[in-house]
Amino acid sequence: MKPTRRDLSASFLAGYRPPENAVDELYDRDGSIRPHWTYLIQALEKLGPDELDSRWSDGRRLLRENGVTYNVYGDPQRTERSWPLDPLPILIPSTEWQVIEQGMIQRAELLEMILADLYGPRRLITEGVVPPELVYGHSGFMRPCAGMAVPRGRHLPLYAADLARTPTGRFVVLGDRTQAPSGSGYALENRLVIQHMFPSIFRDAHVHRLPLFFRRLRLLLAGLAPHPDGPPHIVLLTPGPSNETYFEQAYLAGDLGCTLAQGDDLTVRDERVWLRTLQGLRPVDVILRRVDGAFCDPLELRGDSLLGVPGLLQAARRGNVAIVNPLGASAVENPGLMAFLPQIARHLIGEDLKLPSVRTWWCGDAESRGYVLEHLDELVIKPVDPHATHSTNFGATLDEAARARVADAIRAHPDLFVGQEHVALSTTPVLVDGDLEPRAAVLRTFLAAADDGYTVMAGGLCRVAGVRDGIVVSNQIGGVSKDIWVLASEPERDAALAPADKPLLVLRGELEVPAHVADNVFWVGRYAERADAAARILRQVVRRMLEPDRAPDDPQLAALVEITARVTGALPIGGKPVSDKDVLAALYDGQRSGSLRFDLSALHRGARAVRERFSSDTWRILNGLDIESTNAGELRRAPAEVERILLLLTAFAGLGAESMHRGQGWRFLEIGRRLERALTTLLLLRTVCRSAGPPHAMPREDLLTFADVSPDYIRRHRSVPLPARLIGLFIGDETNPRSAVYQLRRLEQLLKGLSVQIVPPQRSAEEEMVQAALEELVPQAMLADAELDAALDERLARAQNQLTSISDHLTRDYFSRPDRLQQLVTIDR
Amino acid sequence: MKYAIRHETRYGYSQPVVLCHNEARLQPRTTERQICLRSDVTVSPLTGARDEREDLFGNRVLYFAIQEPHGELIVTATSEVEITHVPASYDPSLSFPWEQALEQLRQGTSTQQREVRQFTLDSPCAAASDELRAYALPSFPPGRPVLAAVHDLSCRIHREFTFNPQSTTVTTPLSQVLANRGGVCQDFAHLAIACLRSFGVPARYMSGYLETLPPPGLPRLQGADASHAWFAVFVSGMGWLEFDPTNDQLPGDRYVTTAWGRDFADVTPLKGVIFGGGDHTLDVGVDMQRIAP
């Protein structure tokens, strides 16, 4: 007997009431639980609500700690959002999955044949199967790619499609993704989290595994390399950290073992693509691109693109680099084509579509246009071109005036629009505040080409509407993702996971350090130190402000405020008294340059841009390095927050010192740190020199605390006059890891490690500058009769200038982007 | 008729260019009415890579890159072209009414008719618009033969617009050309093409040269100091027919075609992406001479 709604505990499923007009994934029409859900529901029942809740908070912690994010466009303040995941997977039995699989494979093969035709003989057009306007009017069709051969004939190495179950119970394709399919990395990350939450349920449910797909993907990429000598160098071309799915791109680069590169990390010479690394140019064999095709080459494609590589198309044309997906593959990411797919399938392969598309009418056809205009109130109106300025409209939600505007737009440019049936998507349970709610679901499935045909990922990315009764499923407007469990009838054998005939590939990319990586880690180092200095000095200011019996004109506080102002820039210069509000802003106002929060944000931004370079432990610390805004209101709560931040900064420094691989990435992080700390120290002491008032105004205790010295150190140096003591502590004492000279000695070694590559060996300009700075600071004469006076200030200023130049020189020698790119002829588009 | 053409483009840079990638469409194609006997492009300084191909429209494209720092780029194309065929004169009134011609194209099943339909669509520099349609409307009364309509439009552009190299640049939008009632040959060709596309007439951009030396007794023609531009329309049963709105004449044996496309962007004679370079100066010189047959 099948369990029914009533048989199961009222607590878990009681509130779950799917709507009448759609199919529900969990319940069948007569209210019984579908058999393939029984095990999961019973297992979750057994866990009980408290245990489920606790596992879910564990899962959310993992997501947070792994820094799983996506970016929302048009939100400059805080574009990075944490990745929304629902703990309940959606379940598909393997018998049904096979139908999907076969349908998807047929569709991928068909789309690949269409691409081969459109960039080849174009018989589909000349024989009248596809209207020319549909192809030539779509920005995905790239004229410069016509006639180009693609590596191993693979026009569509990667493919994804969005599927939905209609009220008939069958799946239909809602849309094709051929440009640069995204989401497979999120699917993998979702799986890791869900599997972590429910290890035994996952094991006993016989869920198909995902790693096999990624292994095939690696083989696919490696197999497309045009020069099969030696391990291929694969690069993931990213639009950069502000792209919607940057997290996924960095994650995939790590998983696939390829170098994450932006357009200006690459250059084309001799019709080959090269990666600009700290060690020079390194040839690139395969580019997995997440940059839209039109932006990939400002010579032959969009001239205004700054994301691409001039000459890339020519390199591909000559067969010297494999681009995945090939440029131009977006020609079939065209909803208008869906109206013609059945005819094309019969024409090209003599078959019907195994998996139908959602019913689609292309408005360029007079009869279809008539139908669409008559049924505007029930159809979805979409532009055929993803780059069109028009948006998607749901006819049912439009008022009279809006509908008339849509009709006018269609009549003005009929070729550019389709009408699609508004499918009532199937619903699936989602956990909302401890209760289950039905939400409309869309499944994204992923395919990768292999020698023996396409492989379908046994799983994928399920996305559900952000609200109950929602009809639009999109991450940009609050959708939630789910893991897809394809249930095998029996457990998958391990043999299937590791095909013995294919050796595991070692890819070469891991060791390359592109210039932008060096640049970013350098600034991560600098901002980590800057934040540390800001936290330390502000901690002293806050302590004094909070002293119950402090004099209103405490001269030591005034001196401290002046030092803070000079060192951080976050307080007004000039010795004016500061209010609680000023100090709170210097801590927490992210818009105020030099504030603690400002530095932490910059640190975070830099780290995010090279996400793949830091370990997951390091990310856990970085993700904690943010101000908890609930603490931002009162000064008396500041010390605890500042201590917390200091502790995490110390942990970050500790991980850098103890567990970061000593490659060039680490070297630049360390150079950034040392340089910043030296500069901060010089600036601090210069402020003391210039504002030296009466001895009682010197905040000596605060400075000793800032320098983090032990009581023992203080005891041993008690007899030294204060000025000399401070100078030793902050400048000349080579045994103190906070002194300027200590930093310079470290820089000396670090820079030597960079310049060894210069042939013939010689001291680099940066090393010369360190020597010049050392000469100012080291002479014993300076220490002997040192006073905190104008002469010392000048000496420190000269050292400071040398150090500032080092930063400029590093930028020029190592981080520099290529020279500014210009077009000889600018054509307005 | 046989011509020797020398087309020199010279870029001077205020700072060195460290790397450039370029595409030249400077070598005349062989067409139904001309044979390109010889064509050669020299680049100074020497190129790092060089590759010739044909684009989607059948134009000859030369890709080249310069990988050494340079302060000057000189690209010289020298060609010999023989005009083999001058279009026969025809009576525009004998073509089909324009509405019917459009319908013929829509219903047409020949390869050429289907391929040609791409030239009815908007392109980056020549997109249909309501104001262009309004401007062209007087040339398109109901039932007028299509070639008579196109001819009238071309004549009106010549009559109503002033040839003025100062009034526009490569990036001047058509709406401004229309408002200024002025421009150069490129603007007039784009204007005509976009007007025609506003009615659904397939039109393409022609890039090439026009001989400047006037035969005795005839006025010197404008727009031939550099390269020249005009347009062509497609009429079912007649093929592509050319018009020169700048000089109000049908291109004959003094016109040499280099390339064609949807608009200037498809056939830019020399484009390039450079790294570095600072500011640049540009000199273009075209020399076109008759040579003995």
Side-chain angles (χ1 to χ4, degrees), chain A residues 539-583:
Chain A
R539 175 172 65 177
Q540 301 311 120
V541 174
V542 170
R543 271 185 197 166
R544 285 205 175 262
M545 302 268 297
L546 290 175
E547 270 170 17
D549 48 357
R550 108 179 128 90
D553 54 350
D554 176 1
Q556 294 195 2
L557 176 61
L560 209 49
V561 164
E562 183 64 12
I563 291 171
T564 310
R566 294 275 175 191
V567 169
T568 68
L571 285 176
I573 288 170
K576 267 183 278 177
V578 290
S579 64
D580 284 13
K581 215 175 129 207
D582 290 328
V583 176

Side-chain angles (χ1 to χ4, degrees), chain A residues 153-164:
Chain A
R154 285 276 167 218
H155 283 273
L156 193 62
L158 301 179
Y159 168 56
D162 286 334
L163 307 179

